[in-house]
Amino acid sequence: MTTSTATRPAVSDADGTAPTDFDTVVIGAGFGGLRMLHELRQLGLSVKVLEAGSDVGGTWYWNRYPGARTDTESWAYIMNFSEELKADWVWSERYPGQAEVERYLQHVADRFDMRRDIQFNSRVTAAIYDDATNRWTITTEAGQSFTCTYLVSASGVLSVGIDPPFPGLDSFTGQWFQTSSWPKQPVDFTGKRVAVVGTGATGVQVIPEVAHTAAHVTVFQRTPNYVIPARNHALTDAQRAEVQRDYDKIWEKSRAQVFAFPMNPAEHAMTDLRPDQQQRVLEAGWETGGFRFVFETFNDLLVNEESNQIAAEFIRNKIRTIVKDPATAELLCPNYPLFAKRPPLGHFYYETLNRDNVTLVDVRDNPIREVTPRGLRTGTDEYEFDIIIFAVGFDVGTGALSHIDLRGSGGQTITEKWAAGPRTHLGIGVDGFPNMFMISGPQSAIANIPVIIDNTVDWIGKTITFMRQHGYDRMEPTPEACAQWQEQCNNDLDATILASGEEVGSYFFGANIPGKPRAAVFYFGGAARYMQFCTDVVDSDFKGISFSAFSESTT
Ligand code: NAP
């Protein structure tokens, strides 16, 4: 059997109203959902994409807080599926801002006429598999239902923001905002007393921006981070032409790198060099900025404790040099290994802490207890604010699916399935959840996301093609394959320094949320290795996955 390239029309309701039955329903119209839509169309499948927002963008639709921009260099933050798309888009900066990324995704949707298959303002609340019909029923918040054979979750890895975790929020008489669902209308901070709670990758982006106009910014920090300077800059015309010419080479380079960044492998282990040479290499990495500081300096930073400590002390010394007040500098110095928590990239973050209108408050031993009508109260003090910004993180990895009523075969819910932590096959499938695919699901590789999305979408396309070629209409990974993948995730994590993150509340383990099961939320063995695992499954005619024709599974 060959696959058709013409899109199969969706089945209309009997009364001629809009169709509700599709080959595939995709949840989410961000990077993953758009890329998946394109692939499914190529396979000739009918598709409905359900998107909670009023437009495409996903992460880049919701996280429109001041200062939001990528931490990945723009030339590797692309969709690679179309030569035409690459020919007509080049970014303007090393790290594009939220508005530009949103424009890019809108451009993709328009250029490939994607909107006709996307229904906006449609938050999915339930997805339930029916053993009797081998079909999924998807329900939205508005009570609409859709049925489909294949369910694809493209609902994001960092898409469920944590609500402000303090009592009393309703009593606050000022304004408050959550970075993960920032309003479209600009917020005016001019002359305002502003609190920012949280100093992760989001907090460190928002703080310098707000400090430009606010009367005063108070930064509430619980755990300091290693903030590496991003060193953003505009791309010159020559650089843009070079990027456009080299897109393919850049993509291949990214696919080969451990975090799917287009970076050169570090030539040396820290231990190969004398201390003065080590410092010179670290200094050059610091000047280059971004994750190149980690990946292009030394090849043992994430696996050798001593090397990691030298790099960590280098950053602490930078903090002590940049931040003028010694007490503030010491509060900003982390005391855990570099990369035990995901380090943010800063845009003059430490410099911002020198401003007269910025104060750092350490809440590690004196936590915020409540929101009061006038501001925030710790165990000892009350602080008054006009505006509070909560940048307190996400229910990472499992959050998007755990927050909907997702039930697989026999009515088992995904929260029951993952009661002890996520257990998946390649971060894409789950045993007991037939014909369900996850893009950027838990236990997928932690890496530059567009590259992993592209790989996953390609893998899903190949799996569906295999099914159609062999007359199968039901697939799911075996429990053994899921158990093996879980073991692989744990083993590869234990081989790195990232494993120490559990003690410091890293979301890599779900440790940023009280009560969330502690387990590897990602595959940490490197993007290239992860993609090889995916290829091996395809090449082995899908070892670890059980397929059946529906008639077989019902007899
Ligand atoms: P995060 O890294 O989890 O940071 C949340 C912050 O809130 C932490 O500083 C945390 O402190 C603090 N916090 C949470 N509860 C608190 C409480 N009760 N009291 C005081 N502080 C509290 O979340 P995020 O900054 O949103 O970043 C998450 C991820 O999103 C990033 O690591 C990155 O992968 C992605 N992201 C990417 C970009 C980009 O690429 N440009 C930008 C932003 C975010 P503790 O550390 O003590 O828990």
Side-chain angles (χ1 to χ4, degrees):
M1 189 169 120
T2 53
T3 54
S4 139
T5 52
T7 307
R8 183 178 84 74
V11 180
S12 291
D13 281 357
D15 61 1
T17 54
T20 55
D21 182 61
F22 296 89
D23 290 324
T24 313
V25 168
V26 177
I27 309 174
F31 253 98
L34 298 184
R35 176 69 186 85
M36 190 76 240
L37 172 56
H38 177 79
E39 191 80 7
L40 293 166
R41 281 181 175 178
Q42 295 296 110
L43 294 179
L45 298 182
S46 64
V47 192
K48 175 61 81 181
V49 180
L50 297 173
E51 166 55 52
S54 65
D55 203 343
V56 299
T59 292
W60 297 104
Y61 172 91
W62 298 103
N63 287 264
R64 52 182 72 242
Y65 57 85
R69 61 177 64 249
T70 71
D71 279 355
T72 297
E73 289 163 339
S74 57
W75 43 94
Y77 206 72
I78 59 159
M79 297 223 197
N80 192 49
F81 67 82
S82 155
E83 293 309 314
E84 295 78 21
L85 179 59
K86 287 185 278 183
D88 65 18
W89 190 276
V90 195
W91 300 97
S92 66
E93 292 177 85
R94 180 175 177 183
Y95 307 97
Q98 176 274 333
E100 192 176 11
V101 183
E102 193 182 24
R103 273 201 309 280
Y104 174 66
L105 294 173
Q106 290 171 347
H107 170 70
V108 171
D110 292 334
R111 195 182 202 303
F112 297 95
D113 188 20
M114 291 181 167
R115 291 174 196 277
R116 65 183 157 87
D117 290 327
I118 306 173
Q119 183 172 309
F120 295 105
N121 303 306
S122 300
R123 183 175 290 283
V124 169
T125 52
I128 296 177
Y129 175 76
D130 181 5
D131 288 286
T133 59
N134 188 37
R135 309 280 290 163
W136 284 91
T137 300
I138 319 300
T139 310
T140 68
E141 205 166 35
Q144 256 188 307
S145 283
F146 299 88
T147 48
C148 59
T149 304
Y150 305 108
L151 171 65
V152 180
S153 159
S155 44
V157 64
L158 292 148
S159 51
V160 176
I162 299 173
D163 290 335
F166 311 107
L169 191 56
D170 287 347
S171 72
F172 183 54
T173 51
Q175 289 177 289
W176 65 269
F177 300 95
Q178 230 171 319
T179 46
S180 55
S181 53
W182 196 266
K184 283 186 181 166
Q185 311 84 326
V187 178
D188 185 6
F189 297 102
T190 315
K192 299 284 193 323
R193 299 161 302 169
V194 182
V196 179
V197 183
T199 54
T202 302
V204 309
Q205 285 187 334
V206 83
I207 289 160
E209 285 298 314
V210 174
H212 285 310
T213 52
H216 198 91
V217 178
T218 307
V219 176
F220 290 88
Q221 171 193 278
R222 190 166 64 182
T223 311
N225 273 305
Y226 293 99
V227 184
I228 300 165
R231 311 244 184 253
N232 190 30
H233 57 79
L235 297 184
T236 62
D237 288 346
Q239 286 169 326
R240 285 157 58 95
E242 193 183 327
V243 166
Q244 208 151 24
R245 192 193 63 215
D246 290 346
Y247 262 138
D248 291 346
K249 278 191 213 154
I250 294 168
W251 190 258
E252 282 319 304
K253 194 170 184 178
S254 303
R255 283 182 56 90
Q257 202 266 350
V258 67
F259 266 60
F261 292 133
M263 295 181 185
N264 299 317
E267 284 173 20
H268 301 286
M270 183 82 80
T271 41
D272 291 344
L273 301 187
R274 294 190 316 262
D276 60 316
Q277 294 170 319
Q278 292 168 351
Q279 293 299 308
R280 269 204 298 278
V281 173
L282 289 169
E283 196 64 57
W286 188 259
E287 284 313 309
T288 304
F291 288 116
R292 289 176 191 271
F293 174 79
V294 175
F295 295 113
E296 288 194 338
T297 50
F298 294 104
N299 57 27
D300 59 348
L301 288 189
L302 303 188
V303 290
N304 181 316
E305 239 171 85
E306 191 192 332
S307 307
N308 189 287
Q309 274 174 22
I310 292 169
E313 184 59 13
F314 174 90
I315 300 179
R316 284 190 287 267
N317 283 333
K318 283 290 176 195
I319 298 170
R320 291 173 186 129
T321 309
I322 298 167
V323 178
K324 297 202 176 90
D325 173 45
T328 303
E330 279 318 305
L331 287 179
L332 288 164
C333 285
N335 62 2
Y336 54 83
L338 171 63
F339 237 104
K341 289 170 92 93
R342 194 277 213 184
L345 299 192
H347 299 264
F348 303 100
Y349 177 66
Y350 292 128
E351 290 80 352
T352 298
L353 272 299
N354 285 332
R355 292 177 67 117
D356 291 340
N357 70 333
V358 177
T359 309
L360 183 71
V361 175
D362 176 27
V363 290
R364 155 115 341 248
D365 299 320
N366 185 17
I368 298 168
R369 295 243 186 266
E370 60 175 338
V371 181
T372 66
R374 289 182 301 186
L376 291 169
R377 196 196 309 275
T378 62
T380 53
D381 303 285
E382 182 175 4
Y383 300 83
E384 293 187 14
F385 300 111
D386 304 303
I387 297 176
I388 305 175
I389 298 173
F390 297 99
V392 291
F394 294 87
D395 186 350
V396 180
T398 52
L401 289 183
S402 306
H403 278 73
I404 65 174
D405 183 10
L406 175 62
R407 294 167 198 241
S409 183
Q412 186 181 30
T413 67
I414 199 75
T415 31
E416 286 161 0
K417 187 81 190 172
W418 290 343
R423 216 183 69 147
T424 75
H425 180 231
L426 301 171
I428 303 175
V430 182
D431 60 301
F433 290 73
N435 296 348
M436 181 184 90
F437 301 98
M438 300 177 295
I439 298 176
S440 302
Q443 298 181 334
S444 175
I446 186 166
N448 174 23
I449 288 180
V451 174
I452 300 301
I453 285 174
D454 189 74
N455 180 77
T456 305
V457 166
D458 177 68
W459 192 93
I460 296 169
K462 286 181 170 139
T463 308
I464 293 176
T465 301
F466 180 82
M467 292 174 74
R468 296 167 87 202
Q469 285 170 341
H470 292 82
Y472 296 133
D473 30 38
R474 189 181 192 278
M475 64 74 72
E476 62 177 300
T478 63
E480 296 74 31
C482 293
Q484 258 174 27
W485 185 245
Q486 188 174 37
E487 200 184 327
Q488 188 75 52
C489 289
N490 289 336
N491 290 346
D492 285 359
L493 172 60
D494 287 345
T496 72
I497 275 166
L498 280 59
S500 55
E502 191 173 351
E503 291 151 33
V504 284
S506 168
Y507 69 70
F508 292 163
F509 303 87
N512 63 326
I513 298 189
K516 187 166 173 174
R518 301 290 186 261
V521 170
F522 297 100
Y523 172 70
F524 294 91
R529 193 145 177 260
Y530 170 76
M531 291 189 280
Q532 189 58 52
F533 276 115
C534 295
T535 304
D536 290 347
V537 171
V538 175
D539 290 349
S540 67
D541 276 354
F542 297 89
K543 188 165 176 279
I545 297 183
S546 73
F547 294 95
S548 56
F550 178 55
S551 52
E552 286 170 24
S553 60
T554 50
T555 50

